[in-house]
Amino acid sequence: MLDSKFPPIVQHYGACVLYETINDSWEYCSSKQEIVQRLKNILIEKLTMGAHMQNQSITNKLSSSLASFILYCIPDIWPDPFGDIATLWSGQPELLLRVLTEIAAEFHRVRLPLRQRGVVKSILKQTIPNLIKIIEIVLNGENIPPSLKNAAVECAEQWLKLPGNDLAEWHSHLHLILLNIADDWYCLFFRSLFCFYFLQDFLIT
């Protein structure tokens, strides 16, 4: 159903089935190494080869599917997915940012055992410095397409929403993000974060 020979509505349905399979049947999927590898290969292949020509809704659902897959797989099944996709999609930064955005968004939705959720949360926090570097490269770049800059801003927004986030880690980068925001709602969101951070800092000191 994900083959390009099918119409977009069928491909989107296939992407939805894949997403539901990962999230509703992960315990079974993870018990079969061949299924895990097949899922990984399909998601990577369809995103790598098709992101530039797929219907946006298909790419979005596949990105969410890969994000869920990564969250279920780290650290035992897929030790370093962040490094792997950063290398794989170094020439497709918008796709990379889209998947990174979905990883943060899907963290709130995936059904992980409490202990595993804590481990995954810790790994995500360790990833933030490298994530910030990627976002900065995009936002500081010249002749960067608006869609790519928006993807970087959306990525920052989702990662800032992760529980237990240390805003001090983002402090020196928020101004750069604000300068690149075109949407007033995003602007309001980040300004509120600024106010929260500085008020917190003031109260502590």
Side-chain angles (χ1 to χ4, degrees):
M1 286 188 289
L2 289 170
D3 197 287
S4 58
K5 69 182 180 182
F6 293 112
I9 190 170
V10 175
Q11 293 181 56
H12 183 261
Y13 177 74
C16 289
V17 169
L18 202 57
Y19 177 82
E20 296 300 331
T21 299
I22 291 169
N23 283 283
D24 293 341
S25 305
W26 180 251
E27 187 173 351
Y28 172 76
C29 292
S30 62
S31 68
K32 308 288 185 180
Q33 185 177 355
E34 63 275 14
I35 294 179
V36 172
Q37 191 60 47
R38 180 64 176 155
L39 285 170
K40 179 180 177 181
N41 291 344
I42 289 173
L43 289 165
I44 293 292
E45 177 187 344
K46 294 302 178 184
L47 283 167
T48 302
M49 304 301 294
H52 63 287
M53 58 183 180
Q54 283 169 345
N55 182 290
Q56 188 65 50
S57 63
I58 299 171
T59 301
N60 289 345
K61 185 55 70 173
L62 288 173
S63 298
S64 298
S65 299
L66 180 58
S68 293
F69 180 84
I70 286 172
L71 290 168
Y72 284 118
C73 284
I74 54 176
D76 297 331
I77 299 174
W78 193 351
D80 185 23
F82 302 101
D84 291 344
I85 63 174
T87 300
L88 177 65
W89 292 327
S90 59
Q92 295 174 276
E94 192 164 342
L95 175 58
L96 173 62
L97 285 165
R98 182 180 292 124
V99 172
L100 289 172
T101 299
E102 288 304 312
I103 288 172
E106 288 297 321
F107 179 76
H108 301 282
R109 305 184 188 114
V110 293
R111 296 183 288 274
L112 295 169
L114 187 60
R115 183 177 177 278
Q116 186 181 354
R117 178 171 288 276
V119 171
V120 171
K121 178 182 172 182
S122 177
I123 292 172
L124 293 181
K125 290 181 72 174
Q126 293 169 23
T127 304
I128 288 176
N130 288 331
L131 176 81
I132 290 174
K133 289 178 184 177
I134 294 171
I135 292 172
E136 278 196 319
I137 289 171
V138 171
L139 296 183
N140 279 321
E142 296 182 2
N143 302 317
I144 301 296
S147 62
L148 180 53
K149 288 199 172 188
N150 287 339
V153 170
E154 289 174 15
C155 187
E157 179 198 5
Q158 287 298 331
W159 280 74
L160 277 162
K161 290 179 180 178
L162 286 174
N165 221 319
D166 182 6
L167 284 181
E169 197 166 11
W170 292 84
H171 177 205
S172 61
H173 312 282
L174 288 175
H175 180 64
L176 174 63
I177 295 170
L178 276 170
L179 290 176
N180 286 274
I181 292 172
D183 190 302
D184 288 339
W185 287 106
Y186 281 136
C187 195
L188 180 62
F189 172 78
F190 280 106
R191 281 175 179 163
S192 67
L193 283 178
F194 264 128
C195 292
F196 171 79
Y197 175 73
F198 286 119
L199 178 60
Q200 184 185 55
D201 188 56
F202 173 77
L203 290 174
I204 291 174
T205 55

